Amino acid sequence: MEVITNMVGERPVVIFSKSSCCLSHSIKSLISGFGANPTVYEVDEMANGQQIERALIQMGCQPSVPAVFIGQQFVGGANQIMSLHLRNELAPLLMNAKAIWIWKRK
């Protein structure tokens, strides 16, 4: 889990993803749509990707990707991120993490 902590570091938004995962793509698009510029790690393209996936599963990510960290805190996978978005709670999280500065509700 130390590997994950180091990778999340001081970044406002980190997404662990797989390049072939449609849910990962959707979550990356959603967060980028707010104007955030997430750090994305494609675990299927990394030499230590299996180690990272095991660490994510130990942290409670089921399935292992997408796994979203906002403000260095694990927020959850696709279901949790979509639920936050539907409750209009995702944008305030992104603002608090300084991933976005302005958000205008449509």
Side-chain angles (χ1 to χ4, degrees), residues 50-63:
Q50 289 182 335
Q51 175 190 5
I52 291 168
E53 271 196 89
R54 282 192 299 273
L56 290 170
I57 290 169
Q58 286 177 342
M59 294 178 75
C61 301
Q62 290 291 340

Side-chain angles (χ1 to χ4, degrees), residues 35-52:
N37 186 21
T39 299
V40 177
Y41 294 106
E42 301 289 353
V43 297
D44 58 333
E45 297 175 355
M46 300 172 69
N48 63 342
Q50 289 182 335
Q51 175 190 5
I52 291 168

Side-chain angles (χ1 to χ4, degrees), residues 15-33 38 40-42 44 65-68 78 81-82:
I15 302 172
F16 290 91
S17 172
K18 284 189 179 176
S19 58
S20 60
C21 176
C22 62
L23 285 176
S24 292
H25 175 76
S26 297
I27 296 303
K28 291 184 285 189
S29 296
L30 173 66
I31 290 175
S32 295
V40 177
Y41 294 106
E42 301 289 353
D44 58 333
V65 296
V68 180
I81 297 301
M82 290 304 294

